[in-house]
Amino acid sequence: TKYFGDWYQITGIPAFFQPSGSSCVKATYSAKDDGTVGVLNRAIKPDGETYTEICGYADVPDPSKPGELLVHFPFSPAGDYWVLDTDYDNFVSIYACQDVIGIVKIEFAWILVRDVNNVSEETMARAMEAFTKNGLSTSAFEDVSQKDCTYANPSGEPSCVP
């Protein structure tokens, strides 16, 4: 439950669903009645105008490994979501690796923070170290702008409900 709430991406590896230049990336995690974790992801696409959001849920397949989750979104297979490190109050370092039919390996990595205006050098160093101490490169990481973000659907429609 300490993980629930809002998190904002400040860096990571761009992905097909969140390409380079995406901004205002926010993830909200919540408890669901069935014991899973509700997931609401929001972002502005690289054009700087198009708002996007998706709702899904996460579960923990092996309770002895509570930091290794499977995330489920509509129209896509479940994906790994591994919490490499977090202090729950300031940052979380997340990694995932998907094998595409044994031909291609796609890596995902994100550093999320609770407060984009209060990220100390020490916090950032610990967040990055979570990857390097696991033998993972951070060379493809790109910063994500959180400048002038509202995190609301500009159409005025309510957000999906995870």
Side-chain angles (χ1 to χ4, degrees):
T1 58
K2 293 190 317 185
Y3 195 75
F4 294 157
D6 296 330
W7 292 92
Y8 304 88
Q9 184 182 351
I10 57 170
T11 191
I13 299 174
F16 66 91
F17 53 84
Q18 188 182 311
S20 181
S22 295
S23 61
C24 301
V25 179
K26 178 182 178 182
T28 302
Y29 302 100
S30 58
K32 291 179 59 84
D33 291 340
D34 63 3
T36 61
V37 176
V39 180
L40 166 57
N41 289 341
R42 301 174 175 127
I44 300 295
K45 291 188 176 188
D47 66 11
E49 296 180 16
T50 306
Y51 172 88
T52 182
E53 70 177 27
I54 190 166
C55 282
Y57 70 94
D59 56 21
V60 179
D62 182 349
S64 71
K65 298 176 183 175
E68 295 182 12
L69 295 91
L70 275 179
V71 178
H72 307 263
F73 288 111
F75 311 110
S76 64
D80 291 333
Y81 181 106
W82 294 353
V83 176
L84 300 179
D85 193 9
T86 186
D87 66 359
Y88 298 100
D89 297 318
N90 298 294
F91 83 98
V92 60
S93 299
I94 305 155
Y95 177 76
C97 183
Q98 296 295 121
D99 182 324
V100 181
I101 58 173
I103 298 173
V104 178
K105 175 178 88 167
I106 301 173
E107 290 183 293
F108 303 96
W110 305 276
I111 293 177
L112 310 179
V113 297
R114 292 284 193 187
D115 180 353
V116 296
N117 298 310
N118 188 23
V119 183
S120 70
E121 287 183 32
E122 294 81 16
T123 295
M124 197 62 198
R126 181 174 164 191
M128 294 295 273
E129 182 185 18
F131 295 95
T132 57
K133 77 178 182 184
N134 282 289
L136 302 168
S137 173
T138 58
S139 64
F141 279 29
E142 292 183 13
D143 291 344
V144 174
S145 173
Q146 294 288 346
K147 187 175 179 359
D148 300 324
C149 298
T150 61
Y151 310 106
N153 188 336
S155 75
E157 293 181 26
S159 291
C160 57
V161 178

